[in-house]
Amino acid sequence: MLVLFDSVWDPHPKLGPQRAPRPGVHNSGWVQGPGADALADPRQQARLEAYVTGVVRAFANDERVLAWDLWNEPDNKVSQYGNGKVVPPNKIELVTAMMPKVFAWARAAKPSQPLTVGVWQNAWGDDAKLTPIEKIQLHESDVISFHDYSAPEVFEARIRSLERFGRPILCTEYMARGNQSTFAGSLPIARKRRVAAYNWGLVQGKTQTHLPWDSWQRPYVNGHQPAVWFHEVFRPDGNPYKANEVELIRKLTR
């Protein structure tokens, strides 16, 4: 599932070699695309359109591509990078205006695979309570996708709220142990309700997403480690972080 745009983390991407991740900080090297400057510049839209149609057209009939996730968490404000301020300040309005165009650009490339943009916050059981961008996400998507890092009962309630659209459902991010989102809690529910489930992370590595989100405020340095890993399944040597989790995954997907 290829992701074309992303509204999360560093709003000022640059070409060329990337800076090293910040020690002890969750996912500190991730960048947004389009970045703040391109998003706020209407002259950039022709370039962005060419990117979308070019990539989708190149893989439009490739059996390795299950679906196109056109924009990851498009309305995520990620204020960590603006000292508490959203960059650009009218980011949500800009993304909301561009979202229908991105769907149109991708469809113009005639992909054989479905398109989606996942919802990730608020409640989705009532159209009247959806934000303008959520309405576009849910009504334009060929298959419904969502993120959830919550306890099992919330995870199942969110699935139920999306079943009203009558389309296949994919949870494209879940599993954050310190946030009560676990394999044991969520994966049996996903199987029961026939929802695809993509957990965040596989092997502990330089993205440092085994560390929790609070590492942005309090980096885990000088030997300090969290009581429980946030994401990831395996240690760098290939051994599982929790053997019982790996066995559960094998059992439920066998």
Side-chain angles (χ1 to χ4, degrees):
M1 178 179 288
L2 303 182
V3 184
L4 296 182
F5 290 140
D6 195 336
S7 281
V8 182
W9 305 129
D10 192 336
H12 300 295
K14 293 179 174 60
L15 293 174
Q18 301 297 296
R19 60 174 172 77
R22 289 173 55 198
V25 176
H26 176 109
N27 209 16
S28 62
W30 203 277
V31 296
Q32 295 186 42
D37 295 338
L39 186 63
D41 184 358
R43 297 171 297 179
Q44 296 286 333
Q45 290 204 10
R47 179 178 65 86
L48 299 175
E49 178 181 3
Y51 158 65
V52 172
T53 56
V55 174
V56 175
R57 186 175 292 118
F59 298 96
N61 295 295
D62 194 318
E63 293 182 353
R64 295 172 297 177
V65 178
L66 174 70
W68 298 92
D69 188 351
L70 299 181
W71 204 314
N72 177 60
E73 297 190 358
D75 49 345
N76 194 326
K77 296 180 180 179
V78 201
S79 56
Q80 295 98 318
Y81 279 92
N83 296 320
K85 301 176 182 179
V86 180
V87 181
N90 59 338
K91 173 181 177 178
I92 305 306
E93 291 78 6
L94 292 169
V95 176
T96 301
M98 191 181 293
M99 183 68 62
K101 298 177 183 179
V102 176
F103 273 103
W105 297 340
R107 288 201 167 100
K110 296 181 167 44
S112 59
Q113 311 94 340
L115 309 179
T116 191
V117 175
V119 288
W120 65 286
Q121 59 182 345
N122 305 322
W124 312 309
D126 182 352
D127 267 14
K129 296 180 180 179
L130 297 176
T131 65
I133 197 168
E134 287 173 334
K135 290 179 181 178
I136 299 169
Q137 290 171 252
L138 290 167
H139 290 284
E140 287 280 353
S141 290
D142 300 316
V143 294
I144 300 298
S145 61
F146 75 103
H147 297 173
D148 179 82
Y149 290 115
S150 306
E153 60 272 17
V154 177
F155 180 71
E156 185 159 23
R158 288 185 144 191
I159 293 172
R160 288 180 179 275
S161 76
L162 295 171
E163 288 175 336
R164 66 190 180 93
F165 292 96
R167 284 171 248 162
I169 300 175
L170 302 88
C171 177
T172 47
E173 284 187 30
Y174 83 104
M175 212 291 288
R177 296 177 186 90
N179 219 45
Q180 301 182 61
S181 177
T182 64
F183 289 117
S186 299
L187 200 52
I189 294 170
R191 179 182 170 92
K192 178 181 70 174
R193 306 207 72 84
R194 299 180 62 80
V195 169
Y198 289 68
N199 63 281
W200 184 284
L202 185 64
V203 181
Q204 178 192 15
K206 73 175 185 177
T207 61
Q208 303 176 121
T209 52
H210 69 294
L211 301 174
W213 295 322
D214 70 7
S215 62
W216 278 92
Q217 287 74 44
R218 295 178 296 278
Y220 286 76
V221 294
N222 300 322
H224 179 48
Q225 290 295 313
V228 62
W229 278 15
F230 208 62
H231 302 310
E232 321 304 16
V233 182
F234 295 102
R235 301 180 187 278
D237 63 6
N239 286 310
Y241 172 63
K242 290 181 177 291
N244 60 336
E245 289 180 341
V246 172
E247 183 52 38
L248 175 68
I249 294 168
R250 287 176 173 150
K251 178 181 178 181
L252 292 175
T253 58
R254 189 167 288 145

